[in-house]
Amino acid sequence: MPLSKDWSEWWRRFLDLTTDESGTAVDVLRQRYVEEMQLTDQFKQYARRMHYSQYQEKLLQLAAETGKHAQWIAEKIVALGGKLPDVPERRSTDENSWQSLLMALEDENRSVDRLSEQLRRIGLEHPDITKFLQQISREQENHRDEIREMLMRSDPFALSLA
């Protein structure tokens, strides 16, 4: 085996880049599926705690959008020959409306961070998957802006008995 091939393989392992691109894509999609399903559930839980109907509606809209992402991801996993992962349920504690918005923002921030890493792992091997994940990334940026705006308009001390 030529030396350049050895170094190439070494760098792939060092950078955690697998040579089985479809396996990597399925792994990333499975992780993303769990993430999107959990976000969908969390947004619904947060919406139930909102005192303002417009905030409830907005969070339910975000839940619907992330649910659509999860559905597309599930279809792609199956099309690539993968199996849908189990989605562990995430329970939240009894927060007031403002704390729920803050947690929604933190959830979205963590998801954005993981998504950028997942995009790096897939690379250019699956342009359709990369394109869709980039679309999710743009939508998550919008979600963060919307949650941030709700958070800034909310008084952290108001309705603390929620």
Side-chain angles (χ1 to χ4, degrees):
M1 183 178 284
L3 184 59
S4 63
K5 183 82 167 168
D6 290 339
W7 277 109
S8 171
E9 184 61 30
W10 183 87
W11 275 108
R12 279 190 172 285
R13 284 193 307 263
F14 178 75
L15 295 173
D16 193 26
L17 300 173
T18 163
T19 55
D20 180 11
E21 288 85 7
S22 65
T24 300
V26 170
D27 291 343
V28 165
L29 288 172
R30 287 171 51 89
Q31 293 167 3
R32 194 78 236 150
Y33 175 78
V34 169
E35 182 95 17
E36 296 294 319
M37 291 296 291
Q38 288 177 334
L39 276 173
T40 299
D41 186 52
Q42 288 298 111
F43 285 146
K44 288 177 183 177
Q45 287 182 36
Y46 298 144
R48 286 193 289 272
R49 292 193 193 97
M50 293 296 118
H51 288 281
Y52 301 115
S53 61
Q54 67 270 24
Y55 290 4
Q56 289 175 342
E57 291 170 15
K58 180 52 72 178
L59 287 169
L60 290 175
Q61 177 188 344
L62 299 180
E65 290 174 10
T66 55
K68 287 179 185 176
H69 297 162
Q71 181 181 0
W72 184 91
I73 292 168
E75 292 168 3
K76 201 60 162 170
I77 290 169
V78 171
L80 290 171
K83 186 176 169 188
L84 292 181
D86 293 329
V87 179
E89 189 175 335
R90 288 177 49 192
R91 294 258 184 219
S92 61
T93 58
D94 293 330
E95 301 90 13
N96 63 30
S97 295
W98 190 84
Q99 290 168 323
S100 292
L101 287 172
L102 183 60
M103 290 182 70
L105 182 60
E106 290 171 356
D107 290 344
E108 199 66 40
N109 285 334
R110 278 190 299 276
S111 182
V112 167
D113 291 343
R114 281 191 290 270
L115 181 54
S116 62
E117 171 62 24
Q118 290 165 337
L119 277 165
R120 183 192 68 78
R121 285 183 59 205
I122 289 180
L124 301 174
E125 299 300 325
H126 294 278
D128 59 329
I129 294 172
T130 300
K131 183 178 176 182
F132 183 74
L133 291 179
Q134 288 170 337
Q135 177 185 342
I136 290 175
S137 179
R138 286 187 298 275
E139 289 180 18
Q140 283 184 322
E141 289 294 329
N142 292 337
H143 292 176
R144 289 194 319 184
D145 291 343
E146 292 169 351
I147 294 168
R148 227 181 258 121
E149 185 175 324
M150 288 188 289
L151 193 58
M152 289 188 310
R153 291 177 181 238
S154 297
D155 181 356
F157 302 106
L159 305 170
S160 60
L161 298 176

